[in-house]
């Protein structure tokens, strides 16, 4: 097997330390058939061309490149091999520059070390297999889970490229949290108005026909892998046909039953047939099966009698299961707020007029329970409001992280209170203030310059307590300088930590995508790939990955789409790297150790053949299973036992 | 049992050491030391693997058998593994390995496990230098037949 050794001088970088002539002599002593050639700058265009030409002319079959770090130029030289008609895996690179020439003081010892490395590479490369990249057909369509800002943005950009999107939303309404907010920081834009065009595009826009929206639905099963997933989606019955319903709301008034409206945090009532809130899209009500008299077997048909169109209300609607084939999945299920009853001293759930920020958003919303009027339970405008920041945040006893959005919406609240109820006193209790960004300071400065606003910084939320009494609600505090005091507040707003959505763990299990310590969906890499999960083909967008504002959620929706649009192209096959694990079924004892150690759930057990099977698409080639297999039945391609052992043996000679 | 007392601590003795480095962190850390041109003793011969999880205890045993006086395994820091958890597997296997070494009369100090990140060129230099000194002090490894 003719082996060519190409020695890059890298100008003087390598040549000054390592004696190429000595290396050549030593190699030829080992094997006179070795073809040795030096190149000045191998990575230059001339260098690459010279090597390609030399490979062809000398009919070289195996190649050793002695140059810089393979982390720099392994792929460069693999391409040179391909160009010369050689299989690119029949090459071994020796890192003579970074790991010998630049770090070894004595030139003799550097040359000796390079000689051993190159000899080991020559031995190793003889054992290399001509690995082939595999290609598989893919489905370019995408499943988006969650129709909040992140999911909507992703769905639209993918649909706009002509692909099909299945958009699955758990609730009867799309738009996520911000459609419930009257105004948005940092610029006090109206939430529903800002999202309206996006929602309109999803429902009726140019590419709407590419989007299959399934509301009141959840993903219950996923099989397959990147390029070829099959998802099972279960949809609860709405009892209203969205195609027929004209959204006139005639059905609501006659309905004789009501219950707490969860979309308004239970602060008002809704009927058994209702819209989550005025203006909710899709513009069709839904029926709460548990409340509806007809659905509970009673005689009532009042809503149907009031409905001006035939067939809009369907009492015999039933749960449906959909199966869809897709190539990639975007998780955009958003988040929840920390349960404030876990800080009992704040009185939430026990005292009147203590609200979470989410509840207060609904109080301020014109389509909310009080039509946008800020009122206490007694029906009066509050003369004083306390806003407690950092509830459960930056706190080792609760959540150790900062949610990053609370300060900003707290100053948004300050602004709205000032606007709606001029002269109202607002007291901010905070642990830290966080207001990064080029626009975000505006509301903060406004709050700071409001003569009615005061700020109290505390060290530990344990030093705050809220008590009710004849005089109203009193907040006792000790500030960060140790000074104690008390403030009367007619209304208290708590800004709780943003936490993972309640069933994201269950969805994580369905998708096999892991959660981080805090329970958010775990990204592949915090800086490089935060819109990608560790499962290939499962992408993350919005607050399901980490607390963030709408801008970032939208950006992440676009980022997730970007990965898919560039990685999964209709008509183009998906390339599978051959540096992966391969099970020899004859040697496999079926012990399943490999299944347990694989970090990518790429190995499964075939119960019929009783052997382990590696999924090439999921395998990332780490080789953990190879080292774990007690029967040596798994081959780690390009890092085989034989290759590594030969390298060890030769380098020690 | 292992080292010949007469050469122990002999400065003329240049130990041969095998270093198993994972591609993403420790190998990158070694490259970093290279770009910084920080010198260190050339005694460690690097075998690059994609993940420290690939390091089979038999590689280590083979290295000792073939004449290595020491073996060093360098992995990503906990939580940093490019392949999620390969470094934990490597750490587990290292603990088992130490038990394997004893019956052969190979001192624990001859086999070291440590974490080096892609940015820790200085730490790489320090760890390698320490390892070479440790093994030099132990003297050549002689495995009784
Ligand atoms: C009180 C408050 C005020 C805020 N004010 C502002 C502001 O003024 N400006 C700003 O920029 N940001 C604000 N934010 C932050 C903003 O709400 C988030 O950035 C934004 O909602 C994130 O969008 P998302 O798409 O990731 O998640 P969400 O908006 O939470 O949407 C997630 C969607 O997924 C659905 N879903 C959940 N689970 C499932 C499931 N299993 N299957 C299918 N669907 C599911 C949900 O029903 C929802 O429709 C505020 C946050 C809070 C809490």
């Amino acid at each position: 097997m003719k082996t060519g050794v190409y020695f890059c001088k890298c100008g003087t970088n390598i040549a000054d330390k390592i004696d190429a002539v000595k290396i050549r002599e030593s190699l030829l002593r080992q094997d006179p058939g070795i073809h040795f050639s030096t190149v000045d700058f191998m990575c230059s265009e001339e260098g690459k061309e010279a090597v390609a030409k030399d490979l062809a002319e000398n009919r070289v079959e195996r190649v050793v490149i002695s140059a810089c770090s393979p982390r720099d130029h392994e792929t460069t030289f693999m391409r040179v091999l391909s160009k010369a008609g050689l299989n690119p895996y029949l090459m071994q690179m020796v890192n003579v520059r970074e790991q010998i020439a630049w770090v070894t003081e004595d030139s003799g010892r550097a040359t000796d070390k390079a000689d051993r490395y190159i000899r080991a590479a020559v031995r190793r490369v003889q054992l290399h297999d001509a690995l082939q990249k595999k290609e598989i057909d893919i489905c370019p369509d995408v499943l988006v889970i969650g129709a909040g800002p992140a999911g909507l943005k992703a769905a639209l950009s993918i649909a706009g490229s002509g692909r099909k999107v299945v958009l699955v939303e758990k609730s009867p309404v799309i738009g996520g949290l911000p459609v419930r907010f009257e105004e948005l920081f940092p610029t006090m834009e109206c939430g529903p108005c800002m999202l309206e065009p996006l929602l309109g595009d999803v429902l009726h826009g140019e590419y709407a026909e590419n989007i299959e929206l399934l509301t009141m639905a959840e993903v219950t099963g996923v099989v397959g892998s990147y390029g070829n997933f099959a998802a099972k989606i279960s949809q609860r019955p709405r009892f209203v046909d969205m195609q027929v319903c004209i959204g006139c709301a005639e059905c609501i008034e006659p309905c004789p039953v009501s219950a707490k409206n969860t979309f308004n945090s239970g602060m008002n009532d809704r009927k058994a047939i209702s819209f989550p809130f005025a203006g909710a899209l899709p513009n069709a009500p839904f029926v709460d099966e548990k409340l509806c008299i007809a659905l509970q077997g009673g005689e009532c048909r009042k809503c149907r009698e009031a409905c001006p169109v035939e067939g809009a209300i369907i009492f015999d609607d039933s749960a449906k299961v959909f199966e869809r084939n897709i190539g990639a999945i975007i998780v955009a299920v958003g988040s929840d707020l920390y349960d404030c009853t876990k800080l009992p001293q704040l009185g939430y759930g026990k005292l009147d007029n203590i609200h979470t920020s989410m509840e207060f958003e609904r109080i301020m919303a014109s389509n909310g329970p009080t039509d946008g009027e800020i009122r206490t339970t007694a029906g009066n405008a509050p003369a004083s409001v306390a806003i407690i920041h950092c509830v459960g945040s930056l706190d080792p006893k609760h959540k150790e992280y900062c949610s990053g959005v609370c300060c900003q919406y707290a100053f948004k609240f300050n602004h709205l209170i000032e606007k709606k109820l001029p002269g109202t006193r607002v007291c901010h209790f905070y642990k830290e203030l966080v207001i990064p960004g080029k626009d975000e300071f505006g509301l903060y400065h406004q709050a700071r310059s409001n003569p009615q606003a005061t700020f109290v910084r505390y060290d530990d939320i344990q030093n705050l307590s809220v008590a009710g009494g004849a005089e109203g609600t009193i907040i006792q505090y000790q500030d960060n300088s140790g000074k104690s005091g008390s403030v009367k507040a007619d209304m208290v707003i708590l800004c709780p930590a943003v936490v993972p959505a309640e069933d994201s763990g269950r969805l994580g299990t369905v998708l096999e995508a892991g959660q981080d310590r805090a329970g958010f969906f775990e990204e592949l890499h915090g800086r490089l790939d935060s819109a990608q999960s560790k499962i290939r083909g499962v992408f993350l967008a919005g607050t399901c990955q980490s607390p963030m504002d709408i801008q970032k959620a939208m950006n992440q929706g676009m980022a997730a789409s970007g990965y898919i649009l560039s990685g999964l192209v209709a008509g183009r096959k998906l390339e599978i790297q051959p540096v992966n694990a391969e099970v020899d079924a004859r040697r496999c004892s079926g012990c399943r150790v490999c299944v347990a150690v694989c970090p990518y759930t790429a190995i499964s057990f075939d119960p019929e053949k009783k052997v382990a099977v590696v999924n090439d698409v999921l395998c990332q080639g780490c080789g953990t299973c190879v080292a774990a297999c007690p029967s040596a039945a798994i081959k780690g391609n390009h890092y085989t036992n034989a290759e590594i052992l030969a390298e060890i043996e030769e380098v020690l000679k | 049992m292992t080292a010949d007392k007469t050469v122990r601590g002999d400065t003329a003795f240049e130990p041969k050491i095998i270093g198993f480095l994972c591609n993403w962190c420790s190998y990158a850390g070694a490259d970093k030391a290279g770009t910084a041109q920080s010198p260190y003793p050339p005694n460690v011969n690097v075998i690059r693997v994609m993940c420290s999880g690939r390091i089979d205890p038999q590689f280590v045993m083979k290295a000792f058998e073939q004449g290595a006086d020491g073996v060093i395994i360098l992995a990503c820091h906990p939580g940093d593994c490019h392949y999620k958890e390969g470094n934990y597997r490597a750490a587990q296997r290292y603990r088992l390995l130490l038990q394997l070494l004893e019956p052969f009369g190979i001192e624990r100090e001859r086999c070291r496990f440590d974490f080096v990140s892609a940015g820790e060129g200085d730490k790489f230099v320090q760890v390698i230098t320490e390892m070479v000194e440790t093994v030099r002090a132990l003297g050549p490894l002689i495995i009784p037949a």
Side-chain angles (χ1 to χ4, degrees), chain A residues 145-151 168-171 176-178 181 183-185 217-218 332-335 337 357-358 361 405 409 412 503 507 541-543 548-550 553:
Chain A
I145 313 174
V168 174
E169 167 59 50
K170 188 164 89 170
S171 78
L177 295 183
F181 304 158
E183 307 216 37
L184 302 174
F185 70 72
E218 273 172 86
V333 295
S335 50
L337 291 182
S357 51
M358 195 61 217
E361 287 283 1
V405 290
Y409 69 60
K412 166 175 87 175
D503 58 355
L507 183 62
T543 57
M548 64 181 77
D549 65 7
I550 300 169

CSV table of all heavy atoms in Angstrom, one decimal, chain A residues 145-151 168-171 176-178 181 183-185 217-218 332-335 337 357-358 361 405 409 412 503 507 541-543 548-550 553, ligand 1:
chain,number,residue,atom,x,y,z
A,145,ILE,N,-44.4,23.3,17.7
A,145,ILE,CA,-45.3,23.0,18.8
A,145,ILE,C,-45.4,24.3,19.7
A,145,ILE,O,-44.4,24.8,20.3
A,145,ILE,CB,-44.7,21.9,19.7
A,145,ILE,CG1,-44.3,20.7,18.8
A,145,ILE,CG2,-45.7,21.5,20.8
A,145,ILE,CD1,-43.7,19.5,19.6
A,146,GLY,N,-46.5,24.9,19.7
A,146,GLY,CA,-46.7,26.2,20.5
A,146,GLY,C,-46.9,27.3,19.5
A,146,GLY,O,-46.0,27.6,18.7
A,147,ALA,N,-48.0,28.1,19.6
A,147,ALA,CA,-48.3,29.2,18.7
A,147,ALA,C,-48.2,30.5,19.4
A,147,ALA,O,-49.1,31.4,19.3
A,147,ALA,CB,-49.7,29.0,18.1
A,148,GLY,N,-47.1,30.7,20.2
A,148,GLY,CA,-46.8,32.0,20.7
A,148,GLY,C,-45.9,32.7,19.7
A,148,GLY,O,-45.7,32.3,18.6
A,149,PRO,N,-45.3,33.9,20.1
A,149,PRO,CA,-44.5,34.6,19.2
A,149,PRO,C,-43.4,33.8,18.5
A,149,PRO,O,-43.3,33.9,17.3
A,149,PRO,CB,-43.8,35.7,20.1
A,149,PRO,CG,-44.8,35.8,21.2
A,149,PRO,CD,-45.5,34.5,21.4
A,150,ALA,N,-42.7,33.0,19.3
A,150,ALA,CA,-41.6,32.2,18.7
A,150,ALA,C,-42.1,31.2,17.7
A,150,ALA,O,-41.6,31.1,16.6
A,150,ALA,CB,-40.9,31.5,19.8
A,151,GLY,N,-43.2,30.4,18.1
A,151,GLY,CA,-43.7,29.4,17.2
A,151,GLY,C,-44.3,30.0,15.9
A,151,GLY,O,-44.2,29.5,14.8
A,168,VAL,N,-49.1,23.1,16.1
A,168,VAL,CA,-49.9,22.5,17.2
A,168,VAL,C,-49.9,23.5,18.4
A,168,VAL,O,-48.9,23.8,18.9
A,168,VAL,CB,-49.3,21.2,17.6
A,168,VAL,CG1,-50.1,20.6,18.8
A,168,VAL,CG2,-49.4,20.2,16.4
A,169,GLU,N,-51.1,23.9,18.8
A,169,GLU,CA,-51.3,24.8,19.9
A,169,GLU,C,-52.2,24.1,20.9
A,169,GLU,O,-53.3,23.6,20.6
A,169,GLU,CB,-51.9,26.1,19.4
A,169,GLU,CG,-52.4,27.0,20.5
A,169,GLU,CD,-51.4,27.4,21.6
A,169,GLU,OE1,-50.3,27.9,21.2
A,169,GLU,OE2,-51.7,27.3,22.8
A,170,LYS,N,-51.8,24.1,22.2
A,170,LYS,CA,-52.5,23.5,23.2
A,170,LYS,C,-53.9,24.2,23.6
A,170,LYS,O,-54.9,23.5,23.8
A,170,LYS,CB,-51.6,23.4,24.5
A,170,LYS,CG,-52.2,22.6,25.6
A,170,LYS,CD,-51.1,22.3,26.6
A,170,LYS,CE,-51.0,23.3,27.7
A,170,LYS,NZ,-50.1,22.9,28.8
A,171,SER,N,-53.8,25.5,23.5
A,171,SER,CA,-55.0,26.2,24.0
A,171,SER,C,-55.9,26.5,22.8
A,171,SER,O,-55.6,26.2,21.6
A,171,SER,CB,-54.6,27.5,24.6
A,171,SER,OG,-54.2,28.5,23.6
A,176,GLY,N,-49.9,33.2,22.0
A,176,GLY,CA,-49.1,33.0,23.3
A,176,GLY,C,-49.5,34.1,24.3
A,176,GLY,O,-50.6,34.7,24.3
A,177,LEU,N,-48.5,34.4,25.1
A,177,LEU,CA,-48.8,35.4,26.2
A,177,LEU,C,-49.1,36.8,25.7
A,177,LEU,O,-50.0,37.5,26.2
A,177,LEU,CB,-47.6,35.4,27.2
A,177,LEU,CG,-47.4,34.2,28.0
A,177,LEU,CD1,-46.3,34.4,29.0
A,177,LEU,CD2,-48.6,33.7,28.8
A,178,PRO,N,-48.3,37.3,24.8
A,178,PRO,CA,-48.5,38.8,24.5
A,178,PRO,C,-49.8,39.2,23.9
A,178,PRO,O,-50.2,40.4,24.1
A,178,PRO,CB,-47.4,39.0,23.4
A,178,PRO,CG,-46.4,38.0,23.6
A,178,PRO,CD,-47.2,36.8,24.1
A,181,PHE,N,-51.6,40.9,26.6
A,181,PHE,CA,-51.1,42.1,27.2
A,181,PHE,C,-51.6,43.4,26.4
A,181,PHE,O,-51.5,43.4,25.2
A,181,PHE,CB,-49.5,42.1,27.1
A,181,PHE,CG,-48.9,40.9,27.8
A,181,PHE,CD1,-47.6,40.6,27.4
A,181,PHE,CD2,-49.5,40.2,28.8
A,181,PHE,CE1,-47.0,39.5,28.0
A,181,PHE,CE2,-48.9,39.1,29.4
A,181,PHE,CZ,-47.6,38.7,29.0
A,183,GLU,N,-50.3,46.5,26.5
A,183,GLU,CA,-49.2,47.2,25.9
A,183,GLU,C,-47.9,46.4,26.2
A,183,GLU,O,-47.8,45.7,27.2
A,183,GLU,CB,-49.1,48.6,26.4
A,183,GLU,CG,-50.4,49.3,26.3
A,183,GLU,CD,-50.3,50.8,25.9
A,183,GLU,OE1,-49.4,51.1,25.2
A,183,GLU,OE2,-51.2,51.5,26.4
A,184,LEU,N,-46.9,46.7,25.4
A,184,LEU,CA,-45.6,46.0,25.5
A,184,LEU,C,-44.4,46.9,25.8
A,184,LEU,O,-44.4,48.0,25.1
A,184,LEU,CB,-45.4,45.2,24.2
A,184,LEU,CG,-46.4,44.2,23.8
A,184,LEU,CD1,-46.1,43.6,22.4
A,184,LEU,CD2,-46.6,43.0,24.8
A,185,PHE,N,-43.5,46.5,26.6
A,185,PHE,CA,-42.3,47.2,26.7
A,185,PHE,C,-41.5,46.8,25.5
A,185,PHE,O,-41.7,45.8,24.9
A,185,PHE,CB,-41.5,46.8,28.0
A,185,PHE,CG,-40.9,45.4,28.1
A,185,PHE,CD1,-39.8,45.0,27.3
A,185,PHE,CD2,-41.5,44.5,28.9
A,185,PHE,CE1,-39.3,43.8,27.4
A,185,PHE,CE2,-41.0,43.2,29.0
A,185,PHE,CZ,-39.9,42.8,28.2
A,217,ALA,N,-54.7,21.1,20.8
A,217,ALA,CA,-54.0,19.9,20.4
A,217,ALA,C,-52.7,19.7,21.1
A,217,ALA,O,-52.1,20.7,21.5
A,217,ALA,CB,-53.9,19.8,18.9
A,218,GLU,N,-52.2,18.5,21.2
A,218,GLU,CA,-50.9,18.2,21.8
A,218,GLU,C,-50.2,17.1,21.1
A,218,GLU,O,-50.9,16.2,20.6
A,218,GLU,CB,-51.1,17.9,23.3
A,218,GLU,CG,-51.1,19.2,24.2
A,218,GLU,CD,-51.4,18.9,25.6
A,218,GLU,OE1,-50.5,18.5,26.4
A,218,GLU,OE2,-52.6,19.0,25.9
A,332,ALA,N,-41.8,25.3,20.9
A,332,ALA,CA,-41.9,26.7,21.2
A,332,ALA,C,-43.1,26.8,22.2
A,332,ALA,O,-44.0,27.6,22.0
A,332,ALA,CB,-42.2,27.6,20.0
A,333,VAL,N,-43.0,26.1,23.3
A,333,VAL,CA,-44.2,25.9,24.2
A,333,VAL,C,-44.2,27.0,25.3
A,333,VAL,O,-45.0,26.9,26.2
A,333,VAL,CB,-44.3,24.5,24.8
A,333,VAL,CG1,-44.6,23.5,23.7
A,333,VAL,CG2,-43.1,24.1,25.5
A,334,GLY,N,-43.2,27.9,25.3
A,334,GLY,CA,-43.3,29.0,26.2
A,334,GLY,C,-43.0,28.6,27.6
A,334,GLY,O,-42.3,27.6,27.9
A,335,SER,N,-43.5,29.4,28.6
A,335,SER,CA,-43.2,29.1,30.0
A,335,SER,C,-44.3,29.5,30.9
A,335,SER,O,-45.4,30.0,30.4
A,335,SER,CB,-42.0,30.0,30.3
A,335,SER,OG,-42.2,31.3,29.9
A,337,LEU,N,-45.2,31.0,35.2
A,337,LEU,CA,-44.6,31.9,36.3
A,337,LEU,C,-44.5,31.0,37.6
A,337,LEU,O,-45.3,30.1,37.8
A,337,LEU,CB,-45.5,33.1,36.5
A,337,LEU,CG,-45.5,34.1,35.4
A,337,LEU,CD1,-46.4,35.3,35.7
A,337,LEU,CD2,-44.1,34.6,35.0
A,357,SER,N,-48.1,39.3,38.2
A,357,SER,CA,-47.9,40.2,37.0
A,357,SER,C,-48.8,39.8,35.9
A,357,SER,O,-49.4,40.7,35.2
A,357,SER,CB,-46.5,40.2,36.6
A,357,SER,OG,-46.1,38.8,36.4
A,358,MET,N,-49.0,38.5,35.7
A,358,MET,CA,-49.9,38.0,34.7
A,358,MET,C,-51.3,38.5,34.9
A,358,MET,O,-52.0,39.0,34.0
A,358,MET,CB,-49.8,36.5,34.7
A,358,MET,CG,-50.4,35.8,33.4
A,358,MET,SD,-49.5,36.4,32.0
A,358,MET,CE,-50.9,36.4,30.8
A,361,GLU,N,-51.6,42.2,34.2
A,361,GLU,CA,-51.7,42.4,32.7
A,361,GLU,C,-53.1,42.3,32.3
A,361,GLU,O,-53.6,43.1,31.5
A,361,GLU,CB,-50.9,41.4,31.9
A,361,GLU,CG,-49.4,41.5,32.0
A,361,GLU,CD,-48.8,42.7,31.1
A,361,GLU,OE1,-49.6,43.3,30.4
A,361,GLU,OE2,-47.6,42.9,31.1
A,405,VAL,N,-37.0,39.8,32.3
A,405,VAL,CA,-38.1,40.6,31.7
A,405,VAL,C,-38.9,41.3,32.8
A,405,VAL,O,-39.6,42.3,32.5
A,405,VAL,CB,-39.1,39.7,30.9
A,405,VAL,CG1,-38.4,39.2,29.6
A,405,VAL,CG2,-39.6,38.6,31.7
A,409,TYR,N,-41.2,44.8,32.6
A,409,TYR,CA,-42.7,44.9,32.6
A,409,TYR,C,-43.1,45.7,33.9
A,409,TYR,O,-44.2,46.3,33.9
A,409,TYR,CB,-43.4,43.6,32.4
A,409,TYR,CG,-43.3,42.5,33.4
A,409,TYR,CD1,-43.8,42.7,34.7
A,409,TYR,CD2,-42.8,41.2,33.0
A,409,TYR,CE1,-43.8,41.6,35.6
A,409,TYR,CE2,-42.8,40.2,33.9
A,409,TYR,CZ,-43.3,40.4,35.2
A,409,TYR,OH,-43.2,39.4,36.1
A,412,LYS,N,-43.1,49.1,32.9
A,412,LYS,CA,-44.3,49.2,32.0
A,412,LYS,C,-45.5,49.4,32.8
A,412,LYS,O,-46.3,50.3,32.6
A,412,LYS,CB,-44.4,48.0,31.1
A,412,LYS,CG,-45.7,47.8,30.4
A,412,LYS,CD,-45.7,46.6,29.4
A,412,LYS,CE,-46.1,45.3,30.1
A,412,LYS,NZ,-46.2,44.2,29.2
A,503,ASP,N,-46.1,21.3,31.6
A,503,ASP,CA,-45.9,19.9,31.1
A,503,ASP,C,-44.8,19.8,30.1
A,503,ASP,O,-44.7,19.0,29.3
A,503,ASP,CB,-47.2,19.4,30.4
A,503,ASP,CG,-47.7,20.4,29.3
A,503,ASP,OD1,-47.0,21.4,29.1
A,503,ASP,OD2,-48.7,20.1,28.6
A,507,LEU,N,-43.5,16.7,27.5
A,507,LEU,CA,-43.2,16.8,26.1
A,507,LEU,C,-41.7,16.5,25.9
A,507,LEU,O,-41.4,15.9,24.9
A,507,LEU,CB,-43.4,18.3,25.7
A,507,LEU,CG,-43.2,18.6,24.2
A,507,LEU,CD1,-44.1,17.8,23.3
A,507,LEU,CD2,-43.4,20.1,24.0
A,541,ALA,N,-37.3,27.3,20.4
A,541,ALA,CA,-37.5,28.7,20.2
A,541,ALA,C,-38.3,29.3,21.3
A,541,ALA,O,-39.3,28.7,21.8
A,541,ALA,CB,-38.2,29.0,18.9
A,542,GLY,N,-37.9,30.5,21.8
A,542,GLY,CA,-38.7,31.2,22.8
A,542,GLY,C,-38.4,30.8,24.2
A,542,GLY,O,-37.4,30.1,24.5
A,543,THR,N,-39.3,31.1,25.1
A,543,THR,CA,-39.1,31.0,26.6
A,543,THR,C,-39.1,29.5,27.0
A,543,THR,O,-38.8,29.3,28.2
A,543,THR,CB,-40.1,31.8,27.4
A,543,THR,OG1,-41.4,31.4,27.1
A,543,THR,CG2,-39.9,33.3,27.1
A,548,MET,N,-37.0,35.1,28.3
A,548,MET,CA,-36.5,36.1,27.3
A,548,MET,C,-37.7,37.0,26.9
A,548,MET,O,-38.9,36.6,27.2
A,548,MET,CB,-35.9,35.4,26.1
A,548,MET,CG,-36.9,34.6,25.3
A,548,MET,SD,-36.1,33.8,23.8
A,548,MET,CE,-35.2,32.5,24.5
A,549,ASP,N,-37.5,38.1,26.3
A,549,ASP,CA,-38.5,39.0,25.9
A,549,ASP,C,-39.0,38.6,24.5
A,549,ASP,O,-38.5,37.6,23.8
A,549,ASP,CB,-38.1,40.4,26.0
A,549,ASP,CG,-37.0,40.8,25.0
A,549,ASP,OD1,-36.6,39.9,24.2
A,549,ASP,OD2,-36.5,41.9,25.1
A,550,ILE,N,-40.0,39.3,24.0
A,550,ILE,CA,-40.6,38.9,22.7
A,550,ILE,C,-39.6,39.1,21.5
A,550,ILE,O,-39.5,38.2,20.6
A,550,ILE,CB,-41.8,39.8,22.4
A,550,ILE,CG1,-42.9,39.6,23.5
A,550,ILE,CG2,-42.4,39.5,21.0
A,550,ILE,CD1,-44.0,40.6,23.5
A,553,ALA,N,-37.5,36.0,21.5
A,553,ALA,CA,-38.4,34.8,21.2
A,553,ALA,C,-38.6,34.8,19.7
A,553,ALA,O,-38.5,33.7,19.0
A,553,ALA,CB,-39.7,34.9,21.9
C,1,LIG,C1,-46.4,39.5,32.9
C,1,LIG,C2,-45.5,39.5,31.7
C,1,LIG,C3,-45.4,40.6,30.9
C,1,LIG,C4,-44.6,40.6,29.8
C,1,LIG,N1,-44.5,41.8,29.1
C,1,LIG,C5,-43.7,41.8,28.0
C,1,LIG,C6,-43.5,43.0,27.2
C,1,LIG,O1,-44.2,44.0,27.5
C,1,LIG,N2,-42.7,43.0,26.2
C,1,LIG,C7,-41.9,41.9,25.8
C,1,LIG,O2,-41.1,41.9,24.9
C,1,LIG,N3,-42.0,40.7,26.6
C,1,LIG,C8,-42.9,40.7,27.6
C,1,LIG,N4,-43.0,39.5,28.3
C,1,LIG,C9,-42.3,38.3,27.9
C,1,LIG,C10,-43.1,37.6,26.8
C,1,LIG,O3,-44.3,37.2,27.3
C,1,LIG,C11,-42.3,36.4,26.3
C,1,LIG,O4,-41.1,36.8,25.7
C,1,LIG,C12,-43.1,35.7,25.1
C,1,LIG,O5,-44.4,35.3,25.5
C,1,LIG,C13,-42.4,34.5,24.7
C,1,LIG,O6,-43.0,33.9,23.6
C,1,LIG,P1,-43.0,32.3,23.4
C,1,LIG,O7,-43.6,32.1,22.0
C,1,LIG,O8,-41.7,31.7,23.7
C,1,LIG,O9,-44.0,31.7,24.5
C,1,LIG,P2,-45.5,32.0,24.9
C,1,LIG,O10,-45.9,33.4,24.6
C,1,LIG,O11,-45.6,31.6,26.3
C,1,LIG,O12,-46.3,31.0,23.9
C,1,LIG,C14,-46.2,29.6,24.1
C,1,LIG,C15,-47.4,29.0,23.4
C,1,LIG,O13,-47.3,27.6,23.4
C,1,LIG,C16,-48.5,27.0,23.9
C,1,LIG,N5,-48.2,25.7,24.5
C,1,LIG,C17,-47.8,25.5,25.8
C,1,LIG,N6,-47.6,24.2,26.0
C,1,LIG,C18,-47.9,23.6,24.9
C,1,LIG,C19,-47.9,22.2,24.5
C,1,LIG,N7,-47.5,21.2,25.3
C,1,LIG,N8,-48.3,21.9,23.2
C,1,LIG,C20,-48.7,22.9,22.4
C,1,LIG,N9,-48.7,24.2,22.7
C,1,LIG,C21,-48.3,24.5,23.9
C,1,LIG,C22,-49.1,28.0,24.8
C,1,LIG,O14,-50.5,27.8,24.9
C,1,LIG,C23,-48.7,29.3,24.1
C,1,LIG,O15,-49.7,29.7,23.1
C,1,LIG,C24,-43.8,39.5,29.5
C,1,LIG,C25,-43.9,38.3,30.3
C,1,LIG,C26,-44.7,38.3,31.4
C,1,LIG,C27,-44.8,37.1,32.2
